[in-house]
Structures are given as C-alpha cells and as structure tokens.
Amino acid sequence: MSETAAPKNFIRQIIDEDLKTGKNGNKVATRFPPEPNGYLHIGHAKSICLNFGIAKDYSGTCNLRFDDTNPVKEDVEYVESIQEDIQWLGFKWANLYFASDYFEKIYQFAEQLIKLEKAYVCGLNADQLREYRGTLTEPGKNSPDRNRSVEENLDLFRRMRAGEFPDGKYILRAKIDMASANLNLRDPALYRIRRAHHHKTGDTWCIYPMYDYAHALSDMIEGITHSICTLEFEDHRPLYDWILEVLKTPCHPQQIEFSRLNLDYTVMSKRKLLQLVQEKHVSGWDDPRMPTIQGMRRRGYPAEAIRDFCERVGVTKKDSCIEIGMLETCVRENLDKKAPRGMAVLRPIRVVLENYPEGQVEEVEVPNHPQNPEMGTRKVQFSKVILIEEEDFMENPPNKFFRLGLGREVRLRSAYYIKCTGVKKDADGRVVEILATYDPATKGGSSPDGRKVKGTLHWVSEAHSVKAQIRLYDRFFNDPNPGAGGTDFLTQVNPQSLVILPDARIEKSLTEAAPGAHYQFERQGYFCADYKETKPGHPVFNRTVTLRDSWAKEKSV
Ligand code: ATP
Ligand code: MG
C-alpha cells in the first residue's frame, strides 16, 4: 500500500489489524451489493468508493454483486444502469455476480439447516406472525410448527419449491430464539413463496430467499473478507453470524457497518426517487436535479469530483447530514482547473457602439484559461452591435455598481473599453438598447494612458453569436430536510429548480461543443453540454454549478 493512500478510517484500521494477524491469509476481498431496484445515487457512490477504494489500495478484489432476491421490484434496466455508473465513476469489478446465481446453493444450505434442526416450515399467516413475534418489551411466542420433525420439514420445504402451495401459505424460518432482545433473531424468515417472474431466473423459482439469509451466504460463497454495509444492518449482524456459524462455512466474512451519507436539500431513498420519476416531477432518473449518478453526470459533475467528495466526507459510525455545498465545492474546484472558458450571455441586451465602423468585424484573441496558458487562446468576433447581460446595466446605478451605467466606462473582456452615452426605451420605459462609444486605443482590454475601469463584462457580438438553449439548475427542494416532520416532500419542491432561458446567446466557438464537454461561462458558472440533447451545431447547456455558493450567502444575509 502506498504512503499517499487515503487517510485511515476505522475500517482501514480493522483491515490493517487483520493483515497483521494474518486473519484472512493476507487477502482483502470486498463487494458492492446493490439491489437492482433503482438507479444508483450519491449515497451509493460513497459505498462504491469505499469498497472499490479499499480493494485497490490493499491490492485486493471488489466484486459487483447484484442482491437480486426480490424479483417484484427488480429490473434489467437497473442492472444495466448500475454497471454503467460504476464504470463511469472509474471503478472496475473483479467479478460480476448475481445472488440469483447462487439460488441452488442457497437452497441446499436451507435443507442443511433443516437437517441440523435449525430451520422449520411455519404455517402461521401474516397476522399471526406479527402477533407471535412479540414487541421490543415483550418476548415472542413459539410457533406451533416449531417442533415439526426434520422429515416433515424437508418434505414441506421441497413441496414449497415444487410449487404445491399458494403464495404466503408457508415460510421457512430459522430456529433461533423467540425471546431474544434482538427482534431479528426471533425465528426470522429465510424463504417465502412468491410467484413472481425474476429478471434473471425467470419462472424457475417460486420460493425466494430473504435478503439477510441470501446476503450472508453470497458473501461467504464469494470469499468476501470484509462485508461493509450501512448502519441499519448493525442489528442484523447477529443473524449474519448465526447463519455462517451454524452452517460451519469454510469462511466467515466480517460485517462492518458505517453511517450512510445524507445530503441536505436532497431525498436519497430509492422509493422517493422512483416516485419523482414515475409521477413525472422530473424528466427521468437522469434529470440533472436528481441525486443519482446519472443525474449528476448529466448535470456535469465530473466523476473525479464525486470521488473527491466521498473521500472528504470520510467514513464514520456517526449519522450526519452533509451540506450539499460541500459537494458543489468539490465540483467547482475540479472544473476550475480543467474547464475552458467561454462567453455566453444568458439574458441579453443590445449595446450599439456608435463610433465603431459599420460592417467592420475584428477577431479578438481570448485566453481559454486565465491561469493556464497551455490551454491556448481562441478568436472571438467583435463588431458594432454587442450583447451584454441585462443585469450588467443600470441607467442610474448606485456608486458600488461596478458595471455599466449612463456615463460610465467598463471593459469588455479581452476587447475594448466602452462608455455608455445613452439608452433607447420602449413605450413602457424599459431600456431596450444601450448606446455607447468604444475607445480604439484600449484594444485587448487595457488603456495605454493607465486609465482604470472597475468592471469587466463578458459579451458576444450580436451577428456572430448563436442562440443556445441554456438551463439553469438549482436545488430541487427548498427545505434542507425534505419530508421531515411528516411534511409531504413533494410540497417542498423548489419551483426555481429549473429555469430555461429563451434568449441566451453563446460565442460561435461554443456551437461545436462536444456532448458532455465542460466550460466555465465567464462570470456565470460552470456549464456542460447536455450529452443527450446536444446535436452538432445545436448545443444545449446545463448549468452544473454557480461560481460561488449563492445559498450560503442568502443564509448569512
Ligand atoms: P435505499 O435505501 O436508498 O433504497 P438501499 O440501501 O436499499 O438504498 P442497496 O441497493 O441495497 O440500496 O445499496 C447497495 C449498497 O449501497 C448497500 O451496501 C448500502 O448499504 C449502500 N448504500 C445505500 N445508500 C447509501 C448511503 N446513503 N450512504 C452510503 N451507502 C449507501
Ligand atoms: Mg438495501
């Protein structure tokens, strides 16, 4: 392991200790076990970075295993998107497995449990099961079926498999302890009868193993050394260990729990994300406002920034909620280095340069990155009619307004100083055009007489710019904890989370933006050419992130 590897979190400390004592014969084997019932989100990214990161740093292996034990909610669409997302995040699995690959083995282990008198077929119905389970303060009651003979259990279990009974008629239960303080140990279900088409095994099975049972055995079958999962499984660990101990399996992975990633202004549960998609509150799983990997990718978040974020939030056992601003900081820092600059005017207003020769066009040389000359320069056309941002002009501005106002002078980036001489208004008194003069001596954007201006504006030439669809994205919810206190999270959607600009104009060089390409639009933020909808000559840009955290500012005002 290299000296510069990730900082030692508590899981890495456990692994170090295991390697020292030779616990797993120097092997480190992890897995990422998604259930294919939705798209991956940023919380999964944390688990992916952790599991694949550990395998990488310890020269171990990390499997991708689909925990596909609940056919009702699972689908190949999810199986495919999950693989795509992990690869996009920059990770490679050692092996691709499905828990359903092990269904026969898992079934055989269940027969073994029956033979060991550690499992029985129970005929209580759902209501009775609930009643017999007891509560946190009261012990449960033994099922009347608990003492069935091995022969009878085997016979019933085989007939369950053969499809002789209707759904819900029987379950196979572990025989542990109905008085355990841990409800997970009160004879938990291992198998249920469920006639559902499985995306992988089709109609081969009408009984399916329960998650906890299948999960422990799948880890064991794959020779996983460290089975890393989130905190809600802490109370399931005794069951995980019980299964492997009773079956005396050749290997016994160590389950280690860490706290889930939560982000403010975000819902992360797959159930809620599915609801947003199905009820069309968003355009799909990859809507740029979704916290899914696909949404973030489409919005323009680089994989490297997401990995950096996961590293920075760290791994602990304490539940916490991370500010989404921290993720945005990672994105900004990443894009600042690599995104070439461009000029786009989001809400244009015309500036007519009265003393600029009619019909003249100049090519102004503009650096592609102010701090990185290696990124070169590009030519931007300049002419008599320029477009600037509406908000960069005020007819009678206050002193602190360092942009254009009547009688004021500003710099047009890399071009000239211009001075406002007048305005044209429409019938309602709205300024529709700005009149100005330019100073030919200031070519390139500086004055030979040392005259200073306070503001530098971005601009495009009206005749040499192109219309583009630009979408401004913002937080999807306006409450930091959507759904908290019983509020319907759908009532907390930020109506401004998507603003489509009808008149935005971009400099010509941006028309050929490759799908997915990142830019910093000067003074506006980082944007990314939408990889689905950008067509040659017709870019659609998504705002990835603003240049500064405007939400932090609003809070502090
Ligand atoms: P959800 O509760 O959103 O439906 P899940 O936990 O059911 O998610 P799985 O497909 O079972 O989703 O998750 C695969 C792995 O990712 C699991 O090991 C799980 O613990 C981990 N994981 C899921 N959500 C988070 C999160 N918010 N933070 C960290 N790890 C997570
Ligand atoms: Mg889960």
Side-chain angles (χ1 to χ4, degrees), residues 16 28 64 70 72 95 172 229 231 253 346 359 368 375 397 434 529 540:
D16 286 345
V28 176
L64 167 59
N70 185 6
V72 185
N95 302 286
L172 182 75
C229 61
L231 274 183
L346 306 188
N368 287 332
M375 287 174 77
I434 299 162
V540 175

Side-chain angles (χ1 to χ4, degrees), residues 32-35 41 43-44 47 228 230 258 260-261 268-270:
F32 174 66
E35 195 185 338
H41 53 58
H44 294 113
S47 176
I228 301 167
T230 36
F258 70 100
R260 293 174 88 83
L261 171 70
M268 209 96 90
S269 117
K270 275 191 262 186

Side-chain angles (χ1 to χ4, degrees), residues 87-140:
Q87 287 169 322
W88 179 77
L89 277 172
F91 297 105
K92 277 203 187 80
W93 45 87
N95 302 286
L96 172 65
Y97 292 130
F98 291 81
S100 56
D101 295 340
Y102 314 136
F103 276 177
E104 183 60 38
K105 280 188 188 162
I106 291 171
Y107 172 86
Q108 294 302 334
F109 280 117
E111 286 209 353
Q112 215 176 306
L113 284 175
I114 292 174
K115 290 173 193 159
L116 291 166
E117 295 187 65
K118 293 294 185 187
Y120 61 97
V121 173
C122 176
L124 293 180
N125 64 33
D127 287 336
Q128 292 167 322
L129 282 170
R130 208 169 303 123
E131 186 202 321
Y132 276 67
R133 191 179 301 125
T135 64
L136 282 172
T137 48
E138 280 169 60

Side-chain angles (χ1 to χ4, degrees), residues 212-401:
D212 282 338
Y213 172 64
H215 188 78
L217 289 174
S218 304
D219 279 350
M220 185 279 294
I221 291 168
E222 290 176 20
I224 299 304
T225 56
H226 300 86
S227 174
I228 301 167
C229 61
T230 36
L231 274 183
E232 71 271 21
F233 288 100
E234 201 164 25
D235 288 346
H236 298 232
R237 185 173 0 117
L239 175 58
Y240 185 102
D241 290 333
W242 181 90
I243 294 163
L244 300 180
E245 271 158 27
V246 168
L247 288 169
K248 296 197 173 57
T249 53
C251 94
H252 188 140
Q254 179 181 1
Q255 176 177 311
I256 308 171
E257 309 86 16
F258 70 100
S259 62
R260 293 174 88 83
L261 171 70
N262 299 302
L263 280 183
D264 61 4
Y265 296 98
T266 308
V267 300
M268 209 96 90
S269 117
K270 275 191 262 186
R271 187 179 54 77
K272 287 182 178 168
L273 296 178
L274 181 64
Q275 191 183 351
L276 292 177
V277 173
Q278 284 179 336
E279 295 177 4
K280 301 204 185 320
H281 301 285
V282 292
S283 64
W285 286 98
D286 64 352
D287 185 297
R289 295 165 296 178
M290 289 282 271
T292 52
I293 304 298
Q294 302 229 350
M296 293 187 172
R297 173 180 174 188
R298 192 159 173 205
R299 173 115 168 217
Y301 288 15
E304 201 183 353
I306 295 177
R307 294 199 303 266
D308 178 33
F309 170 72
C310 292
E311 195 68 60
R312 287 197 210 181
V313 297
V315 180
T316 66
K317 269 191 172 288
K318 232 175 65 194
D319 272 317
S320 66
C321 187
I322 306 288
E323 285 182 16
I324 199 163
M326 182 169 164
L327 174 57
E328 291 174 346
T329 299
C330 294
V331 172
R332 243 179 239 121
E333 285 181 17
N334 187 276
L335 290 176
D336 180 40
K337 277 179 256 154
K338 66 181 184 203
R341 275 39 176 176
M343 292 197 285
V345 178
L346 306 188
R347 296 175 180 91
I349 183 166
R350 303 176 87 212
V351 182
V352 177
L353 302 174
E354 295 174 302
N355 60 340
Y356 195 87
E358 194 79 50
Q360 178 174 305
V361 181
E362 285 176 83
E363 293 214 308
V364 172
E365 195 158 350
V366 187
N368 287 332
H369 196 292
Q371 280 89 43
N372 184 359
E374 277 174 26
M375 287 174 77
T377 60
R378 67 188 187 284
K379 298 269 197 320
V380 181
Q381 291 84 13
F382 188 87
S383 69
K384 190 176 175 72
V385 182
I386 295 297
L387 301 173
I388 64 167
E389 299 288 348
E390 219 170 38
E391 63 174 21
D392 280 339
F393 178 79
M394 270 177 95
E395 197 174 353
N396 296 302
N399 271 344
K400 286 240 170 77
F401 186 81

Side-chain angles (χ1 to χ4, degrees), residues 70-72 167 194-199 201-206 208:
N70 185 6
V72 185
D167 289 13
R194 196 89 174 82
R195 282 177 179 74
H197 189 81
H198 188 282
H199 66 98
T201 57
D203 299 316
T204 309
W205 294 88
C206 66
Y208 288 96

